[in-house]
Structure formats: structure tokens, C-alpha cells
Amino acid sequence: MLLVVGLYTSRVLLIALGVSDYGIFNVVGGIVSMFIFINYAMINSTQRYVTYELGRKDQERLSLIFSTSMNIHAVIALVIILLSETIGMWFLYNKMVIPPDRMNAAFWVFQFSIISCFVNIMCVPYNALIIAHEKMSAFAYISLLDAGFKLGIVYLLLISDWDRLIFYGFLILLVTIIDIAIYISYCRRKFPESAYHYILDKPLTIEMTKFASWNLLGNLSYVCYTQGLNLLLNVFFNPVINAARGITVQIQTVVTNFSYNVENAIKPQITKSYAQSDLHRMHTLIYASARLSYYTLLLVSLPIFLEIETILHLWLAEVPPHTANFVRITVLILLADALANPLLTAVQATGHLKKYQFTVSLLSFLILPLSYIGLLLFPVPEVVFLVNLFIGIVSQFIKLWVVGRLIELPIRSYLKNVFVKTSAVTAFACILTFPLLYLFDAGIVRLVSVLCYGGLIVLILVYMVGLNHEERQLVKNKVKFYLPKATK
């Protein structure tokens, strides 16, 4: 349902705003995101400390960590507002390629984005509690409500006589505030430790900030090769290319939400296993998380990769150039990243981030300058995505080597349990699904065939090849349990 709503609202939004305004919204919001990397570092730090103390069952320490994280996030929010209203405003008016008659609208979108950023930052400790307590159903219900709000937004845009870009920015801010209010209310009712008490624990603040400092390096590199590339595309090309990337990000968000739920379900268990010194269980959970996240992405992304042109023309009234190529390369990047995401959870559980973040961040920082050089030599926008893919693949093996030594993870075992199984499933799925492209002409019939047949092939291959014996037995037991209920 969320997939359908997400695709539909993006289609109507592109019609309502137009390609240029849609691109402006994405690139202007990206300026604020350039500074929010400061907060991303504390997100991982907060989640790690909350989950770790839950594993130790120390309620008093947990309450202290929550209140301390609120203090830290308040400071971070104020810093980001200051940076956005100074450096961000300068960049908006002096460096961005925006039509002069849309500069006022861009200004208001920028201000709404700053406020939205502030609200999201202050909600991070509450989201950390939900994830640590493994109450994923809360995210599911609020996501459904959010989807309903997004449908309402596009309807209001279509009937509104106001400047639609400004109105859209305001409505997105309003929905963000409502969503955050619901998260906070839920935590206040469910988790006693979510009651904030002003307390300044200097040792804990220093400890959490020190842990976050290495995450800060990693998140700075992430911003450089995401929002930095978005700005680079704007400087070399125009808002239409930013619109193409904006649509790609929409698809990327919808696709990753599927694997995000799998990762979040297992992530707290990985941290708790380390807190309890159970490395064998930790390794098993890492293997399972990497495989299941990858399979979930493959199930959704294989039809998208093969039929993206048809999907775009059915979905959008006007398709910006280069969008199909952007989406295909992004799908490959997501699949590569899915295999290594549990490794980041593992290294955060240990608290020893220095070597991991320094090595991985150094590689990530190379994406932006290499993309700039690539655009100078080959002035086509796909270059930045290809550079991203290449660095992403190389970094997967670096991550495995670093984390393997840190948590005594056998690299050969990881390759056998993760890379070999996922590669086999992917290869056979492509070989068995690809002939459909020659049996049918491009259109709805072929799209439906690829969706149904390709999805069935992936599920069968995952069960037969991609799971180990214990996981197959678990699937059998679940089917035996639910099948009689479904037939009644």
C-alpha cells in the first residue's frame, strides 16, 4: 500500500509543481541536509547507548542516557539552524542555479526545511527508544497515517490557487510536526524512561559525544556524496536533472523502506548479543540480517531494474531525461550497501569506531572529487552514479576486513553465508526472468509478467538456495501455523 501511495503521490506532485519546481524543492532541501550530518552522528550514538543499556537491563542508566541525548540534540539543532541561516542562505543566493522569478519560493521552502529539520532532530531520542524496544508496529501505523497525509497534500495542491511550491513546503512541515507529535505521545505512554529530566552528566555527555565524533566523520562523508552530488548536478546541469534525481530518490526511499524494516527488527538483537558477550549469536544475526535485507531489496528491485522505462511512463506524465539510468544504477548501489549494513551495526555495538569510520569515510570522501573530475572529462550526469557504485563496491570488502578483525567474525564464513548465497540467488533470478523481455513487447502485460513471475522466482530461489537449514525450517513452521488459520 505504501509503495502504491508513494508512487502515486510522486506522480501527482510532479504534475502539480512542474519539473523545474520539483527539482528546486529537492535541491533547496538538500542545502539543509548538508548540515544535518551533525545530527546523523548522534542518531547512531543514541540508538547504540539506549539498546546497550536495555540489554543490560539498567533502567536508571537508561533514563539518564535519554535525558542526556535530549540535551545534546537540542544543542545540535541550534547549531544546524545557525549554519543554515548563514552559510546555507549565502549558498542559496550566490551558488544555486534557480530561475530569478522562483527565488522567493525557494527562500520559503528553505525556511520550512530548517524548521522541519529542527523538529526531526528533537525526535531522534524517541525514535531510538522505539527501535531499541523493538516496537516496529508503531513505525508501521504512523507510516500509514503519514501516507494518508501525503495523499491529502497532493489533493490540496491541485485545488489551491496559492504558489504551489511554497504551499507544498508548508504542508510537508505541518505533516512532519504531526508525525513527530504522535511519536512523542506514543513514547510517553509506553516507555517510562522517555520522561525528560534536565540533568547535566558531563562524563556521559563526553562519552556519547566522543562516540558520535567518529560517526560524525562517516556521516559527513555520506552528505558529501549524496547532497554534494545533488548540488554538483545543479551546478553542471539544471533543475531538470535535479528533478530526475529527486524521482530516483523517491523510488530509492520506497525500495529501502522494505529492507529498513528487516534491518531494524534485527539491529537491536545484534547490539544486545554483544552486550551479553554472545559473539556466536551476534555473527549468526549479522549473516541473517545481511541476507534477508538483500533478498527483500532484490524482490522489489529486480522488476524495477528490468522494467523501469515502462514504470516511469505509467507513473509520470512527464519523465525527466536520464531518470531510468539513474534508477538502475541506484538499485545496484542499494543492493551492494544492503550486504554491509549489519557490519556497521556490529561495529557500533562495540563502541570502537575509529578505524572503521576513518577507512570507510576516506573512501566515501573520494566520491565527490572523482565525480567532479568525471563530469569534466565526460559531461553526462550518469558519471556521478557510476563513481558512487564503484566506490561502494570497493568499500564493502574494506568494511568486512575491518569489522571481521574487531568482532572475531570469520571472513570466509561471511563470504560463504552471505556473498555466495546472495550471488547465487541473484544470478539465477536474472537468468530465469530475463527471457520475458524477449517474449513480450514493452507494456503493461510484460510489466505484470515480470512482477509476478520474477517475484515468484526470487521467493523460490531464496527458500531453496538463499536460506540455511534452520531458516528453512522456521519458514515451514510459520507456514504450518498460519495456513490453517488462512483457510478457515
Side-chain angles (χ1 to χ4, degrees):
M1 176 182 175
L2 294 178
L3 175 63
V4 174
V5 171
L7 294 176
Y8 173 75
T9 53
S10 297
R11 169 190 170 87
V12 179
L13 183 61
L14 189 59
I15 295 173
L17 295 181
V19 173
S20 182
D21 274 6
Y22 185 82
I24 291 172
F25 181 84
N26 280 280
V27 75
V28 169
I31 300 177
V32 180
S33 297
M34 287 180 64
F35 302 116
I36 206 171
F37 74 89
I38 302 172
N39 184 54
Y40 286 155
M42 276 307 304
I43 290 175
N44 292 325
S45 177
T46 302
Q47 288 182 357
R48 186 266 178 186
Y49 276 86
V50 169
T51 306
Y52 192 89
E53 295 305 328
L54 274 177
R56 296 178 61 210
K57 298 180 173 57
D58 189 337
Q59 188 66 34
E60 183 178 349
R61 177 78 172 173
L62 184 59
S63 298
L64 178 61
I65 285 173
F66 176 81
S67 296
T68 301
S69 68
M70 287 293 293
N71 295 337
I72 296 173
H73 280 88
V75 174
I76 290 173
L78 293 176
V79 170
I80 290 178
I81 290 174
L82 178 63
L83 291 174
S84 298
E85 293 290 7
T86 53
I87 299 174
M89 286 290 290
W90 171 83
F91 194 89
L92 174 67
Y93 278 96
N94 294 279
K95 297 297 180 180
M96 299 296 295
V97 180
I98 296 174
D101 61 320
R102 302 305 294 150
M103 188 56 75
N104 181 62
F107 167 82
W108 284 109
V109 168
F110 185 65
Q111 297 302 318
F112 294 144
S113 298
I114 294 173
I115 301 172
S116 179
C117 174
F118 174 85
V119 175
N120 276 306
I121 289 172
M122 296 309 299
C123 187
V124 166
Y126 295 97
N127 285 342
L129 286 178
I130 296 174
I131 293 173
H133 282 279
E134 302 178 54
K135 301 295 184 182
M136 302 309 167
S137 59
F139 288 114
Y141 291 131
I142 296 174
S143 294
L144 288 173
L145 185 63
D146 183 75
F149 287 144
K150 296 293 175 61
L151 284 173
I153 285 177
V154 295
Y155 172 74
L156 290 175
L157 282 179
L158 291 175
I159 64 173
S160 173
D161 293 328
W162 298 337
D163 187 300
R164 289 181 175 179
L165 182 55
I166 298 176
F167 192 39
Y168 177 64
F170 171 75
L171 291 175
I172 288 294
L173 170 62
L174 185 61
V175 169
T176 299
I177 294 173
I178 294 173
D179 287 347
I180 298 308
I182 296 172
Y183 279 121
I184 294 175
S185 176
Y186 176 84
C187 289
R188 290 284 178 85
R189 287 188 293 107
K190 295 291 185 179
F191 314 130
E193 64 271 18
S194 66
Y196 173 76
H197 303 285
Y198 177 75
I199 182 170
L200 186 60
D201 188 311
K202 289 185 178 180
L204 179 59
T205 302
I206 293 171
E207 181 184 342
M208 293 183 68
T209 306
K210 185 178 179 181
F211 179 90
S213 63
W214 287 107
N215 274 322
L216 182 67
L217 181 62
N219 287 293
L220 175 59
S221 66
Y222 175 79
V223 169
C224 282
Y225 76 79
T226 53
Q227 299 305 327
L229 292 181
N230 200 23
L231 298 176
L232 195 63
L233 289 172
N234 179 264
V235 171
F236 270 84
F237 301 99
N238 53 57
V240 174
I241 298 299
N242 290 119
R245 189 176 186 277
I247 292 168
T248 303
V249 172
Q250 289 278 342
I251 296 175
Q252 176 182 335
T253 302
V254 170
V255 170
T256 52
N257 277 342
F258 289 90
S259 64
Y260 179 76
N261 294 328
V262 175
E263 289 177 17
N264 274 346
I266 302 178
K267 183 186 294 186
Q269 292 300 320
I270 294 175
T271 303
K272 291 174 184 177
S273 296
Y274 182 82
Q276 296 161 2
S277 301
D278 190 348
L279 289 183
H280 176 72
R281 183 169 183 266
M282 185 187 192
H283 297 166
T284 302
L285 289 169
I286 290 172
Y287 300 153
S289 179
R291 287 199 309 267
L292 295 177
S293 298
Y294 182 91
Y295 297 147
T296 306
L297 272 179
L298 182 64
L299 181 66
V300 179
S301 61
L302 181 61
I304 293 176
F305 187 89
L306 296 177
E307 290 292 323
I308 185 59
E309 285 89 355
T310 302
I311 292 172
L312 288 173
H313 283 94
L314 290 174
W315 171 30
L316 304 173
E318 182 180 357
V319 181
H322 303 280
T323 305
N325 290 337
F326 288 2
V327 172
R328 282 199 173 97
I329 303 172
T330 299
V331 163
L332 297 178
I333 295 170
L334 293 177
L335 289 172
D337 287 345
L339 295 176
N341 287 339
L343 298 176
L344 176 58
T345 302
V347 76
Q348 287 172 343
T350 69
H352 302 297
L353 294 172
K354 181 177 179 179
K355 186 174 183 179
Y356 176 91
Q357 290 290 15
F358 180 79
T359 307
V360 175
S361 299
L362 186 62
L363 281 171
S364 299
F365 275 124
L366 291 175
I367 295 176
L368 192 60
L370 289 179
S371 296
Y372 180 79
I373 295 171
L375 287 174
L376 291 176
L377 298 175
F378 309 99
V380 290
E382 284 84 358
V383 166
V384 302
F385 291 87
L386 291 172
V387 171
N388 194 345
L389 176 61
F390 173 74
I391 296 295
I393 293 173
V394 172
S395 68
Q396 304 310 308
F397 295 98
I398 302 297
K399 292 175 184 177
L400 180 58
W401 176 72
V402 174
V403 178
R405 300 179 65 181
L406 189 61
I407 60 171
E408 301 175 19
L409 179 70
I411 294 179
R412 181 175 297 180
S413 178
Y414 189 90
L415 293 173
K416 177 183 175 182
N417 286 281
V418 178
F419 280 104
V420 172
K421 287 182 178 293
T422 54
S423 297
V425 171
T426 304
F428 283 117
C430 292
I431 291 171
L432 294 174
T433 307
F434 195 76
L436 292 178
L437 303 183
Y438 294 94
L439 292 175
F440 301 98
D441 293 328
I444 296 179
V445 173
R446 194 175 79 179
L447 173 61
V448 173
S449 299
V450 170
L451 284 170
C452 297
Y453 177 75
L456 181 61
I457 287 296
V458 170
L459 290 175
I460 293 173
L461 288 171
V462 167
Y463 180 79
M464 295 179 62
V465 180
L467 302 179
N468 58 34
H469 175 72
E470 291 78 10
E471 291 164 344
R472 282 195 292 270
Q473 191 61 45
L474 179 62
V475 172
K476 287 181 182 179
N477 294 337
K478 290 290 184 180
V479 172
K480 289 179 181 179
F481 178 78
Y482 286 108
L483 189 58
K485 293 184 177 182
T487 56
K488 287 182 180 180

